[in-house]
Short mmCIF file of all heavy atoms in Angstrom, two decimals:
data_model
loop_
_atom_site.label_atom_id
_atom_site.label_comp_id
_atom_site.label_asym_id
_atom_site.label_seq_id
_atom_site.Cartn_x
_atom_site.Cartn_y
_atom_site.Cartn_z
N GLY A 1 8.89 -11.15 0.65
CA GLY A 1 8.88 -10.86 2.06
C GLY A 1 8.02 -11.85 2.82
O GLY A 1 7.26 -12.55 2.21
N ILE A 2 8.28 -11.95 4.14
CA ILE A 2 7.53 -12.85 4.93
C ILE A 2 7.29 -12.25 6.28
O ILE A 2 8.10 -11.54 6.90
CB ILE A 2 8.34 -14.21 5.07
CG1 ILE A 2 7.48 -15.25 5.83
CG2 ILE A 2 9.73 -13.93 5.81
CD1 ILE A 2 8.17 -16.74 5.63
N SER A 3 6.12 -12.50 6.87
CA SER A 3 5.73 -11.93 8.17
C SER A 3 6.53 -12.67 9.19
O SER A 3 7.17 -13.70 8.96
CB SER A 3 4.21 -12.16 8.35
OG SER A 3 3.87 -13.51 8.27
N TRP A 4 6.29 -12.17 10.41
CA TRP A 4 7.09 -12.82 11.57
C TRP A 4 6.62 -14.21 11.91
O TRP A 4 7.37 -15.06 12.33
CB TRP A 4 6.99 -11.85 12.90
CG TRP A 4 5.57 -11.89 13.44
CD1 TRP A 4 4.55 -11.21 13.05
CD2 TRP A 4 5.15 -12.71 14.52
NE1 TRP A 4 3.40 -11.47 13.80
CE2 TRP A 4 3.81 -12.44 14.73
CE3 TRP A 4 5.73 -13.67 15.32
CZ2 TRP A 4 3.04 -13.00 15.72
CZ3 TRP A 4 4.97 -14.29 16.38
CH2 TRP A 4 3.65 -13.95 16.47
N SER A 5 5.30 -14.40 11.72
CA SER A 5 4.68 -15.62 12.11
C SER A 5 4.68 -16.66 10.98
O SER A 5 4.57 -16.34 9.84
CB SER A 5 3.25 -15.42 12.51
OG SER A 5 2.56 -16.64 12.79
N THR A 6 4.93 -17.91 11.36
CA THR A 6 4.80 -19.02 10.40
C THR A 6 3.47 -19.77 10.66
O THR A 6 3.26 -20.80 10.00
CB THR A 6 5.94 -20.07 10.60
OG1 THR A 6 5.99 -20.48 11.96
CG2 THR A 6 7.27 -19.37 10.27
N ASP A 7 2.64 -19.25 11.45
CA ASP A 7 1.38 -19.89 11.77
C ASP A 7 0.49 -19.84 10.50
O ASP A 7 0.54 -18.98 9.74
CB ASP A 7 0.71 -19.07 12.89
CG ASP A 7 -0.72 -19.55 13.21
OD1 ASP A 7 -0.81 -20.48 13.96
OD2 ASP A 7 -1.67 -19.03 12.65
N ALA A 8 -0.32 -20.90 10.41
CA ALA A 8 -1.15 -21.03 9.20
C ALA A 8 -2.11 -19.87 9.00
O ALA A 8 -2.55 -19.46 7.96
CB ALA A 8 -1.89 -22.33 9.23
N THR A 9 -2.57 -19.29 10.21
CA THR A 9 -3.53 -18.21 10.12
C THR A 9 -2.90 -16.89 9.98
O THR A 9 -3.33 -16.02 9.20
CB THR A 9 -4.34 -18.18 11.47
OG1 THR A 9 -5.00 -19.48 11.57
CG2 THR A 9 -5.36 -17.05 11.38
N PHE A 10 -1.75 -16.61 10.62
CA PHE A 10 -1.14 -15.35 10.63
C PHE A 10 0.10 -15.22 9.73
O PHE A 10 0.65 -14.13 9.52
CB PHE A 10 -0.77 -14.90 12.07
CG PHE A 10 -1.96 -14.77 12.99
CD1 PHE A 10 -2.18 -15.73 13.96
CD2 PHE A 10 -2.80 -13.74 12.84
CE1 PHE A 10 -3.31 -15.69 14.76
CE2 PHE A 10 -3.95 -13.62 13.73
CZ PHE A 10 -4.10 -14.57 14.65
N GLY A 11 0.54 -16.33 9.23
CA GLY A 11 1.75 -16.29 8.42
C GLY A 11 1.34 -15.70 6.98
O GLY A 11 0.30 -15.94 6.49
N HIS A 12 2.36 -15.01 6.47
CA HIS A 12 2.01 -14.28 5.22
C HIS A 12 3.28 -14.09 4.46
O HIS A 12 4.30 -13.60 4.96
CB HIS A 12 1.50 -12.86 5.61
CG HIS A 12 1.25 -12.00 4.48
ND1 HIS A 12 0.31 -12.26 3.47
CD2 HIS A 12 1.78 -10.73 4.18
CE1 HIS A 12 0.34 -11.22 2.65
NE2 HIS A 12 1.18 -10.30 3.05
N THR A 13 3.25 -14.39 3.17
CA THR A 13 4.30 -14.15 2.24
C THR A 13 3.91 -13.36 1.02
O THR A 13 2.70 -13.51 0.69
CB THR A 13 5.04 -15.51 1.72
OG1 THR A 13 4.09 -16.27 0.95
CG2 THR A 13 5.50 -16.37 2.92
N PHE A 14 4.80 -12.66 0.40
CA PHE A 14 4.43 -11.88 -0.78
C PHE A 14 5.63 -11.67 -1.54
O PHE A 14 6.77 -11.60 -1.09
CB PHE A 14 3.82 -10.49 -0.38
CG PHE A 14 4.56 -9.75 0.71
CD1 PHE A 14 5.35 -8.73 0.35
CD2 PHE A 14 4.43 -10.13 2.05
CE1 PHE A 14 6.08 -8.02 1.39
CE2 PHE A 14 5.14 -9.45 3.04
CZ PHE A 14 5.98 -8.40 2.71
N ASN A 15 5.44 -11.65 -2.90
CA ASN A 15 6.52 -11.56 -3.89
C ASN A 15 6.36 -10.40 -4.79
O ASN A 15 5.31 -9.91 -5.04
CB ASN A 15 6.54 -12.84 -4.76
CG ASN A 15 7.04 -14.08 -4.03
OD1 ASN A 15 7.30 -14.05 -2.86
ND2 ASN A 15 7.06 -15.20 -4.77
N ALA A 16 7.55 -9.94 -5.31
CA ALA A 16 7.46 -9.00 -6.42
C ALA A 16 6.88 -9.75 -7.67
O ALA A 16 6.93 -10.93 -7.70
CB ALA A 16 8.90 -8.54 -6.78
N ASP A 17 6.33 -8.98 -8.58
CA ASP A 17 5.65 -9.58 -9.69
C ASP A 17 6.60 -10.52 -10.51
O ASP A 17 6.17 -11.60 -10.91
CB ASP A 17 5.13 -8.47 -10.66
CG ASP A 17 3.96 -7.81 -10.12
OD1 ASP A 17 3.31 -8.33 -9.20
OD2 ASP A 17 3.54 -6.72 -10.64
N PHE A 18 7.85 -10.15 -10.65
CA PHE A 18 8.80 -10.98 -11.43
C PHE A 18 9.09 -12.24 -10.73
O PHE A 18 9.53 -13.26 -11.36
CB PHE A 18 10.12 -10.23 -11.71
CG PHE A 18 10.94 -9.93 -10.49
CD1 PHE A 18 11.70 -10.86 -9.89
CD2 PHE A 18 10.89 -8.65 -9.90
CE1 PHE A 18 12.53 -10.62 -8.79
CE2 PHE A 18 11.66 -8.38 -8.79
CZ PHE A 18 12.49 -9.30 -8.23
N ALA A 19 8.82 -12.34 -9.45
CA ALA A 19 9.12 -13.53 -8.63
C ALA A 19 7.94 -14.50 -8.44
O ALA A 19 8.12 -15.64 -8.00
CB ALA A 19 9.65 -13.14 -7.27
N LYS A 20 6.80 -13.96 -8.79
CA LYS A 20 5.62 -14.82 -8.62
C LYS A 20 5.63 -16.05 -9.43
O LYS A 20 5.95 -16.08 -10.59
CB LYS A 20 4.38 -14.09 -8.90
CG LYS A 20 4.02 -12.96 -7.83
CD LYS A 20 2.84 -12.13 -8.24
CE LYS A 20 2.56 -11.04 -7.21
NZ LYS A 20 1.43 -10.16 -7.58
N GLY A 21 5.37 -17.23 -8.77
CA GLY A 21 5.41 -18.47 -9.48
C GLY A 21 6.77 -19.15 -9.60
O GLY A 21 6.90 -20.26 -10.07
N ARG A 22 7.85 -18.43 -9.26
CA ARG A 22 9.20 -18.92 -9.42
C ARG A 22 10.01 -18.90 -8.10
O ARG A 22 10.80 -19.81 -7.92
CB ARG A 22 10.00 -18.10 -10.44
CG ARG A 22 9.38 -18.08 -11.88
CD ARG A 22 10.35 -17.50 -12.89
NE ARG A 22 10.72 -16.07 -12.53
CZ ARG A 22 11.96 -15.67 -12.50
NH1 ARG A 22 12.97 -16.47 -12.62
NH2 ARG A 22 12.17 -14.32 -12.20
N PHE A 23 9.79 -17.90 -7.32
CA PHE A 23 10.56 -17.74 -6.04
C PHE A 23 9.64 -18.04 -4.89
O PHE A 23 8.44 -17.55 -4.86
CB PHE A 23 11.13 -16.34 -5.95
CG PHE A 23 12.17 -16.03 -6.90
CD1 PHE A 23 12.56 -16.93 -7.98
CD2 PHE A 23 12.79 -14.78 -6.88
CE1 PHE A 23 13.53 -16.56 -8.89
CE2 PHE A 23 13.82 -14.46 -7.76
CZ PHE A 23 14.16 -15.34 -8.85
N THR A 24 10.15 -18.67 -3.82
CA THR A 24 9.43 -18.95 -2.57
C THR A 24 10.25 -18.55 -1.43
O THR A 24 11.37 -19.07 -1.19
CB THR A 24 9.04 -20.38 -2.50
OG1 THR A 24 8.27 -20.76 -3.62
CG2 THR A 24 8.15 -20.69 -1.29
N ILE A 25 9.70 -17.63 -0.54
CA ILE A 25 10.36 -17.31 0.71
C ILE A 25 9.76 -18.12 1.85
O ILE A 25 8.55 -18.40 1.86
CB ILE A 25 10.25 -15.78 0.96
CG1 ILE A 25 11.13 -15.36 2.20
CG2 ILE A 25 8.79 -15.39 1.19
CD1 ILE A 25 11.20 -13.80 2.41
N SER A 26 10.66 -18.52 2.72
CA SER A 26 10.22 -19.24 3.89
C SER A 26 11.20 -18.97 5.07
O SER A 26 12.25 -18.31 4.85
CB SER A 26 10.16 -20.86 3.63
OG SER A 26 11.52 -21.24 3.33
N ARG A 27 10.75 -19.39 6.24
CA ARG A 27 11.60 -19.13 7.49
C ARG A 27 11.48 -20.36 8.41
O ARG A 27 10.45 -21.00 8.39
CB ARG A 27 11.24 -17.85 8.07
CG ARG A 27 9.91 -17.80 8.75
CD ARG A 27 9.47 -16.34 9.26
NE ARG A 27 10.44 -15.89 10.27
CZ ARG A 27 10.58 -14.57 10.51
NH1 ARG A 27 9.90 -13.70 9.86
NH2 ARG A 27 11.40 -14.19 11.45
N ASP A 28 12.68 -20.53 9.11
CA ASP A 28 12.67 -21.56 10.13
C ASP A 28 13.07 -20.84 11.37
O ASP A 28 14.23 -20.53 11.66
CB ASP A 28 13.69 -22.68 9.75
CG ASP A 28 13.71 -23.86 10.71
OD1 ASP A 28 13.28 -23.66 11.87
OD2 ASP A 28 14.08 -24.90 10.29
N ASN A 29 12.12 -20.46 12.21
CA ASN A 29 12.36 -19.67 13.38
C ASN A 29 13.31 -20.38 14.37
O ASN A 29 14.23 -19.67 14.93
CB ASN A 29 11.12 -19.21 13.98
CG ASN A 29 10.46 -17.99 13.22
OD1 ASN A 29 11.07 -17.44 12.39
ND2 ASN A 29 9.14 -17.82 13.52
N PRO A 30 13.13 -21.66 14.66
CA PRO A 30 14.13 -22.23 15.57
C PRO A 30 15.56 -22.23 15.03
O PRO A 30 16.53 -22.23 15.89
CB PRO A 30 13.59 -23.69 15.73
CG PRO A 30 12.20 -23.54 15.39
CD PRO A 30 12.08 -22.53 14.32
N LYS A 31 15.76 -22.12 13.74
CA LYS A 31 17.11 -22.08 13.22
C LYS A 31 17.58 -20.69 12.84
O LYS A 31 18.61 -20.46 12.32
CB LYS A 31 17.21 -22.92 11.88
CG LYS A 31 17.04 -24.41 12.12
CD LYS A 31 17.20 -25.22 10.89
CE LYS A 31 17.14 -26.69 11.16
NZ LYS A 31 17.25 -27.50 9.89
N ASN A 32 16.69 -19.72 13.16
CA ASN A 32 17.07 -18.27 12.95
C ASN A 32 17.44 -18.08 11.46
O ASN A 32 18.34 -17.31 11.15
CB ASN A 32 18.20 -17.79 13.85
CG ASN A 32 17.75 -17.53 15.24
OD1 ASN A 32 16.61 -17.74 15.60
ND2 ASN A 32 18.63 -16.97 16.04
N THR A 33 16.71 -18.70 10.56
CA THR A 33 17.10 -18.69 9.20
C THR A 33 15.84 -18.39 8.29
O THR A 33 14.75 -18.86 8.49
CB THR A 33 17.67 -20.08 8.78
OG1 THR A 33 18.80 -20.32 9.63
CG2 THR A 33 18.13 -20.03 7.37
N VAL A 34 16.14 -17.56 7.29
CA VAL A 34 15.15 -17.26 6.23
C VAL A 34 15.73 -17.81 4.90
O VAL A 34 16.93 -17.68 4.69
CB VAL A 34 14.75 -15.79 6.16
CG1 VAL A 34 15.94 -14.98 5.84
CG2 VAL A 34 13.64 -15.54 5.20
N TYR A 35 14.87 -18.30 4.09
CA TYR A 35 15.26 -18.92 2.82
C TYR A 35 14.65 -18.22 1.63
O TYR A 35 13.51 -17.68 1.78
CB TYR A 35 14.97 -20.42 2.79
CG TYR A 35 15.47 -21.22 3.92
CD1 TYR A 35 14.71 -21.51 5.06
CD2 TYR A 35 16.76 -21.75 3.91
CE1 TYR A 35 15.20 -22.23 6.06
CE2 TYR A 35 17.22 -22.49 4.89
CZ TYR A 35 16.47 -22.74 6.03
OH TYR A 35 16.96 -23.48 7.08
N LEU A 36 15.29 -18.40 0.50
CA LEU A 36 14.68 -17.95 -0.81
C LEU A 36 14.94 -19.09 -1.77
O LEU A 36 16.06 -19.28 -2.25
CB LEU A 36 15.23 -16.66 -1.28
CG LEU A 36 14.58 -16.14 -2.59
CD1 LEU A 36 13.12 -15.77 -2.29
CD2 LEU A 36 15.38 -14.97 -3.14
N GLN A 37 13.93 -19.85 -2.14
CA GLN A 37 14.02 -20.89 -3.10
C GLN A 37 13.75 -20.20 -4.47
O GLN A 37 12.63 -19.63 -4.63
CB GLN A 37 13.00 -22.03 -2.88
CG GLN A 37 12.91 -23.06 -3.94
CD GLN A 37 14.17 -23.90 -3.98
OE1 GLN A 37 14.74 -24.32 -2.98
NE2 GLN A 37 14.71 -24.12 -5.19
N MET A 38 14.67 -20.34 -5.38
CA MET A 38 14.48 -19.73 -6.70
C MET A 38 14.46 -20.82 -7.79
O MET A 38 15.49 -21.54 -7.86
CB MET A 38 15.59 -18.71 -6.96
CG MET A 38 15.68 -17.64 -5.82
SD MET A 38 16.91 -16.35 -6.29
CE MET A 38 18.44 -17.33 -6.28
N ASP A 39 13.43 -20.90 -8.47
CA ASP A 39 13.29 -21.90 -9.53
C ASP A 39 13.15 -21.18 -10.91
O ASP A 39 12.85 -19.98 -10.97
CB ASP A 39 12.05 -22.75 -9.32
CG ASP A 39 12.20 -23.57 -8.04
OD1 ASP A 39 13.22 -24.05 -7.73
OD2 ASP A 39 11.12 -23.69 -7.27
N SER A 40 13.42 -21.94 -11.98
CA SER A 40 13.24 -21.35 -13.35
C SER A 40 14.02 -20.10 -13.48
O SER A 40 13.46 -19.09 -14.02
CB SER A 40 11.80 -21.17 -13.73
OG SER A 40 11.04 -22.39 -13.58
N LEU A 41 15.22 -20.07 -13.03
CA LEU A 41 16.05 -18.88 -13.00
C LEU A 41 16.29 -18.33 -14.47
O LEU A 41 16.40 -19.20 -15.43
CB LEU A 41 17.39 -19.11 -12.35
CG LEU A 41 17.26 -19.05 -10.80
CD1 LEU A 41 18.41 -19.75 -10.16
CD2 LEU A 41 17.05 -17.65 -10.32
N LYS A 42 16.35 -17.07 -14.60
CA LYS A 42 16.59 -16.42 -15.90
C LYS A 42 17.81 -15.50 -15.83
O LYS A 42 18.16 -15.09 -14.73
CB LYS A 42 15.39 -15.48 -16.21
CG LYS A 42 14.04 -16.15 -16.18
CD LYS A 42 12.86 -15.17 -16.45
CE LYS A 42 11.50 -15.88 -16.41
NZ LYS A 42 10.37 -14.91 -16.57
N PRO A 43 18.44 -15.23 -16.96
CA PRO A 43 19.62 -14.33 -16.89
C PRO A 43 19.35 -13.00 -16.18
O PRO A 43 20.24 -12.45 -15.58
CB PRO A 43 19.97 -14.19 -18.35
CG PRO A 43 19.45 -15.45 -18.98
CD PRO A 43 18.21 -15.80 -18.30
N GLU A 44 18.10 -12.52 -16.34
CA GLU A 44 17.83 -11.24 -15.73
C GLU A 44 17.64 -11.31 -14.22
O GLU A 44 17.53 -10.28 -13.53
CB GLU A 44 16.56 -10.62 -16.30
CG GLU A 44 15.34 -11.51 -16.39
CD GLU A 44 15.19 -12.26 -17.73
OE1 GLU A 44 16.21 -12.66 -18.29
OE2 GLU A 44 14.03 -12.39 -18.17
#
């Protein structure tokens, strides 16, 4: 999940335990887009 703000002070992201260290959520507000970068993918 990601908060509404991308500001360094108020921006906030948080992951499920299984995603920590592997998945990264981000957003580009001018592009109305949210991303999920997934690394080290597993069959599960």
